């Protein structure tokens, strides 16, 4: 069961959120109807998405929504085209460390083809960092390729530690 059309309460974005995007665009939480607005197509600019049906999207949307404050997917919509122009995710991890604190993980920063050079990536990251602070995360981290380090430094982040990965074998 989906609780509402919006993944999370958009008031956490702050009153100045709209001023961060040009006229004709809106910055907002992911909505259930964004499947039809090309959200999955936008994600495909980042990595392999697979064949996601509208029902699969709705099921995952509901799962994310029911976690109650763990998933914050922010999108920028091109209102004229009714298409998703950019997106990013903040995942809030509940820890036992730091007095049962929380850590924000920024993931899946993507800008749709044809929407580049509008500072949408930086806008999304900046807004996710603000959400992370607003929900009380003691730190916010992300993994990126070396080629993206300069971009994330522009967003106020610093290089730290090393990323490691183990990918599951293809089925």
């Amino acid at each position: 069961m989906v609780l509402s059309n919006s993944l999370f309460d958009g008031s956490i974005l702050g009153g100045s959120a709209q001023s961060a995007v040009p006229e004709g665009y809106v910055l907002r939480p992911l909505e259930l109807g964004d499947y039809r607005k090309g959200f999955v197509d936008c994600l495909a600019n980042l990595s392999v998405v697979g064949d996601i049906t509208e029902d699969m999207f709705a099921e995952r949307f509901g799962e994310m929504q029911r976690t109650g404050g763990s998933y914050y997917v922010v999108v920028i919509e091109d209102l004229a085209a009714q298409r998703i122009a950019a997106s990013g995710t903040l995942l809030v991890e509940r820890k036992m460390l730091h007095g049962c604190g929380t850590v924000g993980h920024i993931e899946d920063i993507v800008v749709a083809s044809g929407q580049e050079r509008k500072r949408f990536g930086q806008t999304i990251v900046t807004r996710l960092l603000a959400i992370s602070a607003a929900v009380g995360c003691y730190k916010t981290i992300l993994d990126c390729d070396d080629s993206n380090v300069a971009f994330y430094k522009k967003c106020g982040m610093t290089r730290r530690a090393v990323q490691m990965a183990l990918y599951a074998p293809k089925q």
Side-chain angles (χ1 to χ4, degrees):
M1 179 181 106
V2 174
L3 307 173
S4 75
N5 186 46
S6 193
L7 185 60
F8 61 91
D9 181 356
S11 65
I12 199 167
L13 291 170
S16 64
Q18 244 355 90
S19 65
V21 294
E23 189 174 325
Y25 292 85
V26 65
L27 177 88
R28 60 171 175 74
L30 180 70
E31 295 177 353
L32 189 56
D34 288 339
Y35 179 87
R36 293 185 180 195
K37 292 182 178 181
F39 177 74
V40 175
D41 296 335
C42 184
L43 283 179
N45 286 331
L46 180 64
S47 189
V48 175
V49 177
D51 295 324
I52 298 175
T53 66
E54 191 167 4
D55 286 342
M56 292 166 66
F57 178 86
E59 184 176 333
R60 181 54 46 99
F61 183 94
E63 290 170 357
M64 293 167 80
Q65 194 176 55
R66 285 187 294 276
T67 66
S70 292
Y71 290 93
Y72 297 88
V73 181
V74 175
V75 299
I76 296 175
E77 180 185 351
D78 179 337
L79 295 173
Q82 294 187 4
R83 300 291 291 173
I84 301 304
S87 178
T89 300
L90 173 72
L91 174 62
V92 177
E93 176 189 7
R94 286 152 176 80
K95 308 282 278 185
M96 291 294 183
L97 299 170
H98 292 267
C100 291
T102 55
V103 173
H105 296 266
I106 292 179
E107 297 282 344
D108 306 336
I109 303 301
V110 63
V111 176
S113 294
Q115 297 288 350
E116 301 90 348
R117 309 256 184 254
K118 296 177 183 173
R119 300 176 56 97
F120 288 161
Q122 189 170 3
T123 298
I124 294 281
V125 171
T126 301
R127 196 52 52 186
L128 293 175
L129 288 168
I131 293 170
S132 184
V135 299
C137 293
Y138 68 88
K139 72 177 175 180
T140 306
I141 58 179
L142 63 82
D143 295 323
C144 70
D145 291 332
D146 284 333
S147 62
N148 293 327
V149 169
F151 166 75
Y152 289 110
K153 283 185 176 181
K154 286 184 197 175
C155 296
M157 302 191 83
T158 57
R159 187 178 189 122
R160 177 117 174 140
V162 174
Q163 173 195 16
M164 302 293 288
L166 174 65
Y167 290 89
K170 291 185 180 184
Q171 304 273 333

